[in-house]
Amino acid sequence: EVQLVESGGGLVKPGGSLRLSCAASGFTFSSYSMNWVRQAPGKGLEWVSSISSGSDYMYYADSVKGRFTISRDNAKNSLYLQMNSLRAEDTGVYYCTQQFPTDFWGQGTLVTVSS
Amino acid sequence: DIQLTQSPSFLSASVGDRVTITCRASQGISSFLAWYQQKPGKAPKLLIYAASTLQSGVPSRFSGSGSGTEFTLTISSLQPEDFATYYCQQLHSYLMSPFGQGTKLEIK
């Protein structure tokens, strides 16, 4: 059974940093690209970032480019999102997903950026 | 970058109605489009991929069509469990896969 479990969310002040993690199991992690998607309270889905299976390619939404860094450790079956210079508009639930299109999403981790 | 525009943003309908949601891409994306359903507090569920291929386990009342820049999601006969928010997603640009802004389907 595919499982994706996010962690690392929490309350952080504007300008602060957080590192999200996603632990994957139930599939050959190293064979799939992976993604982060977020959802601000009461808003729609926003694609944030994607990374290829071998970490050769990383892409970011314009809203996070230069502030967020996606990475993965295939030996640990883990995906990460380093978030720096956080802003209030980064508040939301962050989902880890398997390669698109996908039915495999984590449960989400809440990030709140507030003073 | 490819932008997706869904219409309408809100839709009010009754059980048994046939409804159609449209997704327009800012440039041609062939059939590289998926549709998701999301209910409050839950992760999205994949309904359709490759514009018209029904995901395993999804009821046949859901269907997708289109190619190029215009796509539709149709629910042939609304059921109570179908009231949710629907999103399209383009998959044409490798590893850059934005979503449409969503269509909230509410009970009339």
PDB file of all heavy atoms in Angstrom, chain B residues 25-49:
ATOM      1  N   ALA B  25      -6.800  25.889 -21.538  1.00  0.00           N
ATOM      2  CA  ALA B  25      -5.363  26.079 -21.394  1.00  0.00           C
ATOM      3  C   ALA B  25      -4.910  27.257 -22.243  1.00  0.00           C
ATOM      4  O   ALA B  25      -5.453  27.507 -23.325  1.00  0.00           O
ATOM      5  CB  ALA B  25      -4.623  24.818 -21.814  1.00  0.00           C
ATOM      6  N   SER B  26      -3.907  27.975 -21.767  1.00  0.00           N
ATOM      7  CA  SER B  26      -3.428  29.166 -22.471  1.00  0.00           C
ATOM      8  C   SER B  26      -2.666  28.821 -23.741  1.00  0.00           C
ATOM      9  O   SER B  26      -2.454  29.688 -24.598  1.00  0.00           O
ATOM     10  CB  SER B  26      -2.548  30.002 -21.544  1.00  0.00           C
ATOM     11  OG  SER B  26      -1.456  29.230 -21.071  1.00  0.00           O
ATOM     12  N   GLN B  27      -2.246  27.579 -23.866  1.00  0.00           N
ATOM     13  CA  GLN B  27      -1.669  27.079 -25.108  1.00  0.00           C
ATOM     14  C   GLN B  27      -1.952  25.599 -25.203  1.00  0.00           C
ATOM     15  O   GLN B  27      -2.375  24.970 -24.219  1.00  0.00           O
ATOM     16  CB  GLN B  27      -0.159  27.360 -25.180  1.00  0.00           C
ATOM     17  CG  GLN B  27       0.655  26.707 -24.091  1.00  0.00           C
ATOM     18  CD  GLN B  27       2.093  27.227 -24.067  1.00  0.00           C
ATOM     19  OE1 GLN B  27       2.365  28.321 -23.588  1.00  0.00           O
ATOM     20  NE2 GLN B  27       2.997  26.435 -24.605  1.00  0.00           N
ATOM     21  N   GLY B  28      -1.765  25.043 -26.393  1.00  0.00           N
ATOM     22  CA  GLY B  28      -2.135  23.657 -26.600  1.00  0.00           C
ATOM     23  C   GLY B  28      -1.347  22.688 -25.736  1.00  0.00           C
ATOM     24  O   GLY B  28      -0.135  22.809 -25.602  1.00  0.00           O
ATOM     25  N   ILE B  29      -2.074  21.745 -25.132  1.00  0.00           N
ATOM     26  CA  ILE B  29      -1.433  20.754 -24.276  1.00  0.00           C
ATOM     27  C   ILE B  29      -1.809  19.338 -24.700  1.00  0.00           C
ATOM     28  O   ILE B  29      -1.770  18.396 -23.900  1.00  0.00           O
ATOM     29  CB  ILE B  29      -1.763  20.978 -22.777  1.00  0.00           C
ATOM     30  CG1 ILE B  29      -3.287  20.964 -22.537  1.00  0.00           C
ATOM     31  CG2 ILE B  29      -1.162  22.285 -22.289  1.00  0.00           C
ATOM     32  CD1 ILE B  29      -3.650  20.965 -21.039  1.00  0.00           C
ATOM     33  N   SER B  30      -2.218  19.182 -25.971  1.00  0.00           N
ATOM     34  CA  SER B  30      -2.622  17.877 -26.474  1.00  0.00           C
ATOM     35  C   SER B  30      -3.686  17.302 -25.535  1.00  0.00           C
ATOM     36  O   SER B  30      -4.678  17.963 -25.260  1.00  0.00           O
ATOM     37  CB  SER B  30      -1.400  16.971 -26.608  1.00  0.00           C
ATOM     38  OG  SER B  30      -1.760  15.749 -27.205  1.00  0.00           O
ATOM     39  N   SER B  31      -3.463  16.100 -25.024  1.00  0.00           N
ATOM     40  CA  SER B  31      -4.423  15.497 -24.078  1.00  0.00           C
ATOM     41  C   SER B  31      -3.833  15.362 -22.680  1.00  0.00           C
ATOM     42  O   SER B  31      -4.289  14.543 -21.878  1.00  0.00           O
ATOM     43  CB  SER B  31      -4.864  14.118 -24.590  1.00  0.00           C
ATOM     44  OG  SER B  31      -5.560  14.230 -25.804  1.00  0.00           O
ATOM     45  N   PHE B  32      -2.829  16.192 -22.389  1.00  0.00           N
ATOM     46  CA  PHE B  32      -2.136  16.082 -21.102  1.00  0.00           C
ATOM     47  C   PHE B  32      -2.880  16.848 -20.010  1.00  0.00           C
ATOM     48  O   PHE B  32      -2.411  17.882 -19.504  1.00  0.00           O
ATOM     49  CB  PHE B  32      -0.703  16.585 -21.241  1.00  0.00           C
ATOM     50  CG  PHE B  32       0.152  15.735 -22.123  1.00  0.00           C
ATOM     51  CD1 PHE B  32       0.427  16.123 -23.424  1.00  0.00           C
ATOM     52  CD2 PHE B  32       0.681  14.541 -21.659  1.00  0.00           C
ATOM     53  CE1 PHE B  32       1.212  15.341 -24.251  1.00  0.00           C
ATOM     54  CE2 PHE B  32       1.466  13.746 -22.482  1.00  0.00           C
ATOM     55  CZ  PHE B  32       1.732  14.158 -23.780  1.00  0.00           C
ATOM     56  N   LEU B  33      -4.050  16.329 -19.652  1.00  0.00           N
ATOM     57  CA  LEU B  33      -4.874  16.988 -18.653  1.00  0.00           C
ATOM     58  C   LEU B  33      -5.505  15.960 -17.732  1.00  0.00           C
ATOM     59  O   LEU B  33      -5.930  14.895 -18.160  1.00  0.00           O
ATOM     60  CB  LEU B  33      -5.987  17.807 -19.324  1.00  0.00           C
ATOM     61  CG  LEU B  33      -6.730  18.692 -18.321  1.00  0.00           C
ATOM     62  CD1 LEU B  33      -6.211  20.117 -18.381  1.00  0.00           C
ATOM     63  CD2 LEU B  33      -8.217  18.630 -18.517  1.00  0.00           C
ATOM     64  N   ALA B  34      -5.557  16.314 -16.452  1.00  0.00           N
ATOM     65  CA  ALA B  34      -6.197  15.468 -15.448  1.00  0.00           C
ATOM     66  C   ALA B  34      -7.261  16.263 -14.714  1.00  0.00           C
ATOM     67  O   ALA B  34      -7.209  17.497 -14.664  1.00  0.00           O
ATOM     68  CB  ALA B  34      -5.161  14.941 -14.457  1.00  0.00           C
ATOM     69  N   TRP B  35      -8.212  15.544 -14.155  1.00  0.00           N
ATOM     70  CA  TRP B  35      -9.267  16.140 -13.323  1.00  0.00           C
ATOM     71  C   TRP B  35      -9.243  15.483 -11.944  1.00  0.00           C
ATOM     72  O   TRP B  35      -9.108  14.263 -11.840  1.00  0.00           O
ATOM     73  CB  TRP B  35     -10.642  15.911 -13.942  1.00  0.00           C
ATOM     74  CG  TRP B  35     -10.917  16.700 -15.188  1.00  0.00           C
ATOM     75  CD1 TRP B  35     -10.775  16.268 -16.487  1.00  0.00           C
ATOM     76  CD2 TRP B  35     -11.415  18.041 -15.258  1.00  0.00           C
ATOM     77  NE1 TRP B  35     -11.144  17.273 -17.360  1.00  0.00           N
ATOM     78  CE2 TRP B  35     -11.546  18.367 -16.636  1.00  0.00           C
ATOM     79  CE3 TRP B  35     -11.770  19.000 -14.312  1.00  0.00           C
ATOM     80  CZ2 TRP B  35     -12.017  19.602 -17.071  1.00  0.00           C
ATOM     81  CZ3 TRP B  35     -12.233  20.234 -14.747  1.00  0.00           C
ATOM     82  CH2 TRP B  35     -12.351  20.531 -16.117  1.00  0.00           C
ATOM     83  N   TYR B  36      -9.411  16.306 -10.897  1.00  0.00           N
ATOM     84  CA  TYR B  36      -9.448  15.834  -9.519  1.00  0.00           C
ATOM     85  C   TYR B  36     -10.721  16.329  -8.845  1.00  0.00           C
ATOM     86  O   TYR B  36     -11.247  17.394  -9.174  1.00  0.00           O
ATOM     87  CB  TYR B  36      -8.251  16.373  -8.724  1.00  0.00           C
ATOM     88  CG  TYR B  36      -6.900  15.876  -9.174  1.00  0.00           C
ATOM     89  CD1 TYR B  36      -6.228  16.519 -10.209  1.00  0.00           C
ATOM     90  CD2 TYR B  36      -6.281  14.792  -8.562  1.00  0.00           C
ATOM     91  CE1 TYR B  36      -4.980  16.081 -10.628  1.00  0.00           C
ATOM     92  CE2 TYR B  36      -5.040  14.351  -8.974  1.00  0.00           C
ATOM     93  CZ  TYR B  36      -4.395  15.000 -10.005  1.00  0.00           C
ATOM     94  OH  TYR B  36      -3.160  14.557 -10.413  1.00  0.00           O
ATOM     95  N   GLN B  37     -11.144  15.564  -7.849  1.00  0.00           N
ATOM     96  CA  GLN B  37     -12.252  15.945  -6.979  1.00  0.00           C
ATOM     97  C   GLN B  37     -11.688  16.106  -5.576  1.00  0.00           C
ATOM     98  O   GLN B  37     -10.925  15.260  -5.111  1.00  0.00           O
ATOM     99  CB  GLN B  37     -13.319  14.840  -6.984  1.00  0.00           C
ATOM    100  CG  GLN B  37     -14.481  15.059  -6.041  1.00  0.00           C
ATOM    101  CD  GLN B  37     -15.294  13.782  -5.855  1.00  0.00           C
ATOM    102  OE1 GLN B  37     -14.830  12.798  -5.281  1.00  0.00           O
ATOM    103  NE2 GLN B  37     -16.521  13.776  -6.361  1.00  0.00           N
ATOM    104  N   GLN B  38     -12.088  17.172  -4.894  1.00  0.00           N
ATOM    105  CA  GLN B  38     -11.653  17.348  -3.511  1.00  0.00           C
ATOM    106  C   GLN B  38     -12.840  17.689  -2.623  1.00  0.00           C
ATOM    107  O   GLN B  38     -13.632  18.582  -2.943  1.00  0.00           O
ATOM    108  CB  GLN B  38     -10.594  18.444  -3.394  1.00  0.00           C
ATOM    109  CG  GLN B  38      -9.995  18.508  -1.986  1.00  0.00           C
ATOM    110  CD  GLN B  38      -8.983  19.623  -1.820  1.00  0.00           C
ATOM    111  OE1 GLN B  38      -9.081  20.665  -2.427  1.00  0.00           O
ATOM    112  NE2 GLN B  38      -7.980  19.376  -0.960  1.00  0.00           N
ATOM    113  N   LYS B  39     -12.942  16.974  -1.527  1.00  0.00           N
ATOM    114  CA  LYS B  39     -13.958  17.261  -0.508  1.00  0.00           C
ATOM    115  C   LYS B  39     -13.272  17.932   0.669  1.00  0.00           C
ATOM    116  O   LYS B  39     -12.062  17.745   0.889  1.00  0.00           O
ATOM    117  CB  LYS B  39     -14.661  15.969  -0.113  1.00  0.00           C
ATOM    118  CG  LYS B  39     -15.443  15.376  -1.284  1.00  0.00           C
ATOM    119  CD  LYS B  39     -16.208  14.141  -0.910  1.00  0.00           C
ATOM    120  CE  LYS B  39     -16.994  13.636  -2.122  1.00  0.00           C
ATOM    121  NZ  LYS B  39     -17.754  12.404  -1.829  1.00  0.00           N
ATOM    122  N   PRO B  40     -14.025  18.709   1.445  1.00  0.00           N
ATOM    123  CA  PRO B  40     -13.427  19.487   2.546  1.00  0.00           C
ATOM    124  C   PRO B  40     -12.616  18.631   3.507  1.00  0.00           C
ATOM    125  O   PRO B  40     -13.069  17.575   3.951  1.00  0.00           O
ATOM    126  CB  PRO B  40     -14.648  20.105   3.230  1.00  0.00           C
ATOM    127  CG  PRO B  40     -15.665  20.213   2.151  1.00  0.00           C
ATOM    128  CD  PRO B  40     -15.460  19.001   1.299  1.00  0.00           C
ATOM    129  N   GLY B  41     -11.401  19.089   3.791  1.00  0.00           N
ATOM    130  CA  GLY B  41     -10.545  18.399   4.741  1.00  0.00           C
ATOM    131  C   GLY B  41      -9.883  17.140   4.219  1.00  0.00           C
ATOM    132  O   GLY B  41      -9.195  16.444   4.977  1.00  0.00           O
ATOM    133  N   LYS B  42     -10.050  16.863   2.934  1.00  0.00           N
ATOM    134  CA  LYS B  42      -9.489  15.643   2.350  1.00  0.00           C
ATOM    135  C   LYS B  42      -8.500  15.980   1.242  1.00  0.00           C
ATOM    136  O   LYS B  42      -8.563  17.052   0.635  1.00  0.00           O
ATOM    137  CB  LYS B  42     -10.601  14.763   1.770  1.00  0.00           C
ATOM    138  CG  LYS B  42     -11.644  14.331   2.780  1.00  0.00           C
ATOM    139  CD  LYS B  42     -11.073  13.338   3.771  1.00  0.00           C
ATOM    140  CE  LYS B  42     -12.165  12.751   4.651  1.00  0.00           C
ATOM    141  NZ  LYS B  42     -11.601  11.818   5.666  1.00  0.00           N
ATOM    142  N   ALA B  43      -7.598  15.049   0.968  1.00  0.00           N
ATOM    143  CA  ALA B  43      -6.716  15.188  -0.187  1.00  0.00           C
ATOM    144  C   ALA B  43      -7.516  14.979  -1.468  1.00  0.00           C
ATOM    145  O   ALA B  43      -8.544  14.304  -1.471  1.00  0.00           O
ATOM    146  CB  ALA B  43      -5.577  14.179  -0.104  1.00  0.00           C
ATOM    147  N   PRO B  44      -7.070  15.576  -2.558  1.00  0.00           N
ATOM    148  CA  PRO B  44      -7.769  15.380  -3.833  1.00  0.00           C
ATOM    149  C   PRO B  44      -7.762  13.922  -4.278  1.00  0.00           C
ATOM    150  O   PRO B  44      -6.873  13.155  -3.925  1.00  0.00           O
ATOM    151  CB  PRO B  44      -6.957  16.244  -4.813  1.00  0.00           C
ATOM    152  CG  PRO B  44      -6.315  17.272  -3.946  1.00  0.00           C
ATOM    153  CD  PRO B  44      -5.992  16.550  -2.667  1.00  0.00           C
ATOM    154  N   LYS B  45      -8.780  13.599  -5.073  1.00  0.00           N
ATOM    155  CA  LYS B  45      -8.927  12.269  -5.654  1.00  0.00           C
ATOM    156  C   LYS B  45      -8.858  12.395  -7.174  1.00  0.00           C
ATOM    157  O   LYS B  45      -9.539  13.239  -7.758  1.00  0.00           O
ATOM    158  CB  LYS B  45     -10.274  11.682  -5.231  1.00  0.00           C
ATOM    159  CG  LYS B  45     -10.645  10.367  -5.897  1.00  0.00           C
ATOM    160  CD  LYS B  45     -12.059   9.945  -5.499  1.00  0.00           C
ATOM    161  CE  LYS B  45     -12.497   8.689  -6.237  1.00  0.00           C
ATOM    162  NZ  LYS B  45     -13.880   8.293  -5.906  1.00  0.00           N
ATOM    163  N   LEU B  46      -8.045  11.553  -7.795  1.00  0.00           N
ATOM    164  CA  LEU B  46      -7.917  11.570  -9.248  1.00  0.00           C
ATOM    165  C   LEU B  46      -9.146  10.938  -9.891  1.00  0.00           C
ATOM    166  O   LEU B  46      -9.516   9.810  -9.574  1.00  0.00           O
ATOM    167  CB  LEU B  46      -6.659  10.799  -9.658  1.00  0.00           C
ATOM    168  CG  LEU B  46      -6.384  10.667 -11.155  1.00  0.00           C
ATOM    169  CD1 LEU B  46      -6.120  12.038 -11.781  1.00  0.00           C
ATOM    170  CD2 LEU B  46      -5.187   9.731 -11.383  1.00  0.00           C
ATOM    171  N   LEU B  47      -9.770  11.678 -10.799  1.00  0.00           N
ATOM    172  CA  LEU B  47     -10.941  11.169 -11.508  1.00  0.00           C
ATOM    173  C   LEU B  47     -10.600  10.712 -12.930  1.00  0.00           C
ATOM    174  O   LEU B  47     -11.012   9.640 -13.364  1.00  0.00           O
ATOM    175  CB  LEU B  47     -12.011  12.262 -11.623  1.00  0.00           C
ATOM    176  CG  LEU B  47     -12.598  12.834 -10.338  1.00  0.00           C
ATOM    177  CD1 LEU B  47     -13.540  13.981 -10.680  1.00  0.00           C
ATOM    178  CD2 LEU B  47     -13.315  11.746  -9.549  1.00  0.00           C
ATOM    179  N   ILE B  48      -9.895  11.562 -13.653  1.00  0.00           N
ATOM    180  CA  ILE B  48      -9.637  11.359 -15.083  1.00  0.00           C
ATOM    181  C   ILE B  48      -8.219  11.817 -15.392  1.00  0.00           C
ATOM    182  O   ILE B  48      -7.752  12.824 -14.839  1.00  0.00           O
ATOM    183  CB  ILE B  48     -10.661  12.151 -15.920  1.00  0.00           C
ATOM    184  CG1 ILE B  48     -12.033  11.466 -15.840  1.00  0.00           C
ATOM    185  CG2 ILE B  48     -10.214  12.308 -17.371  1.00  0.00           C
ATOM    186  CD1 ILE B  48     -13.170  12.300 -16.368  1.00  0.00           C
ATOM    187  N   TYR B  49      -7.538  11.090 -16.257  1.00  0.00           N
ATOM    188  CA  TYR B  49      -6.232  11.502 -16.756  1.00  0.00           C
ATOM    189  C   TYR B  49      -6.197  11.312 -18.262  1.00  0.00           C
ATOM    190  O   TYR B  49      -7.102  10.707 -18.836  1.00  0.00           O
ATOM    191  CB  TYR B  49      -5.103  10.730 -16.065  1.00  0.00           C
ATOM    192  CG  TYR B  49      -5.153   9.232 -16.260  1.00  0.00           C
ATOM    193  CD1 TYR B  49      -4.434   8.618 -17.276  1.00  0.00           C
ATOM    194  CD2 TYR B  49      -5.916   8.427 -15.421  1.00  0.00           C
ATOM    195  CE1 TYR B  49      -4.487   7.254 -17.460  1.00  0.00           C
ATOM    196  CE2 TYR B  49      -5.976   7.060 -15.591  1.00  0.00           C
ATOM    197  CZ  TYR B  49      -5.254   6.474 -16.614  1.00  0.00           C
ATOM    198  OH  TYR B  49      -5.315   5.101 -16.801  1.00  0.00           O
TER     199      TYR B  49
END
